[in-house]
Amino acid sequence: MTEITFCLSREEFAQQFTALPEHEAWGALQTGNGRIAAESPLARVHRLDGSDDYEPAFTLTTATLPARTLCTVIPQAGASDPQTVHAVHDGSGRLIGRIIHERSPLGIRQAWRIEDTVKQRSAVAYKGNIRGWIAYWAFSPFWAILALLDLLNGDTHPSWWLWGKPRRAHWRTRAGDGPRKPALDFKSGRYRADTGLLAANLIYAQAALYGA
């Protein structure tokens, strides 16, 4: 098992780099908790100008100079609604996988599927676990009261935890008829990944899309 732990940082220090032409400096994937700048981020994330929130396009590069392209993440045309498909190519332009954003089989939760075309594996995760969603809906009657308390305290922008939906996601992969194995886990803003199961650049691409 080759495990890496990282986070997606959108803080000001993570965006202090020169973006690629026709892109904006959007963030960085780095070790640690993202509260302080990493000396050498795992990847810098450049967002293509004009790409919308529903179908963002990214280029991920190394942090060391001269910058080298790790992968590009581009939405594919022709996906069936409400499915969104992003193609991921490596620095040489070779297709290494796809990332599909759709609904779960019951249509209740968002689903994210990573398809690794090189290793011939796929991994699927659903946004938020069952326990998190139960707590979210059970707590919802108190939102109005808490929002009013925030306003009375002078906070015109209620805390993210008040409105934020569960984001925990756990990608599991299956190769052949074997048991499912954990390939990528997102919890409390941190990612833990097994790059022996999925290509690292595909994992980085998924992190950028999940944080968009």
Side-chain angles (χ1 to χ4, degrees):
M1 180 174 180
T2 306
E3 184 175 290
I4 57 173
T5 303
F6 65 96
C7 66
L8 169 64
S9 179
R10 297 289 314 282
E11 300 296 333
E12 182 179 357
F13 62 75
Q15 301 178 52
Q16 294 178 351
F17 59 88
T18 301
L20 298 172
E22 301 181 353
H23 290 70
E24 63 172 320
W26 190 78
L29 299 172
Q30 61 181 53
T31 56
N33 57 17
R35 296 178 182 174
I36 58 176
E39 292 185 3
S40 181
L42 298 172
R44 285 175 170 167
V45 185
H46 311 248
R47 179 167 175 156
L48 183 66
D49 290 338
S51 62
D52 59 33
D53 292 338
Y54 182 67
E55 294 184 334
F58 297 103
T59 298
L60 278 64
T61 67
T62 59
T64 55
L65 297 177
R68 178 174 57 84
T69 297
L70 296 173
C71 64
T72 58
V73 188
I74 304 295
Q76 283 189 326
S80 58
D81 187 62
Q83 188 183 76
T84 304
V85 180
H86 283 79
V88 184
H89 296 81
D90 64 15
S92 64
R94 179 184 58 140
L95 178 69
I96 59 173
R98 294 179 177 85
I99 297 175
I100 296 96
H101 186 201
E102 54 193 352
R103 305 300 298 183
S104 64
L106 296 178
I108 299 174
R109 292 186 288 171
Q110 295 182 41
W112 289 90
R113 185 167 78 251
I114 305 172
E115 295 182 348
D116 190 325
T117 58
V118 177
K119 296 185 178 183
Q120 296 296 303
R121 284 196 179 106
S122 65
V124 180
Y126 302 106
K127 185 177 180 180
N129 56 19
I130 300 300
R131 183 172 59 184
W133 280 109
I134 292 174
Y136 174 80
W137 290 114
F139 196 66
S140 60
F142 300 99
W143 290 343
I145 298 173
L146 293 174
L148 179 60
L149 291 175
D150 271 354
L151 291 174
L152 291 176
N153 288 327
D155 187 358
T156 58
H157 297 85
S159 303
W160 66 268
W161 57 266
L162 182 59
W163 307 110
K165 295 179 180 179
R167 289 184 55 80
R168 176 72 190 271
H170 192 66
W171 284 262
R172 288 184 176 275
T173 184
R174 174 178 288 169
D177 297 326
R180 291 189 179 274
K181 298 180 180 180
L184 177 63
D185 183 70
F186 175 79
K187 181 181 180 181
S188 302
R190 300 287 299 277
Y191 291 91
R192 188 175 70 252
D194 184 353
T195 55
L197 294 175
L198 293 173
N201 290 339
L202 268 179
I203 290 170
Y204 297 159
Q206 174 66 91
L209 287 172
Y210 198 64

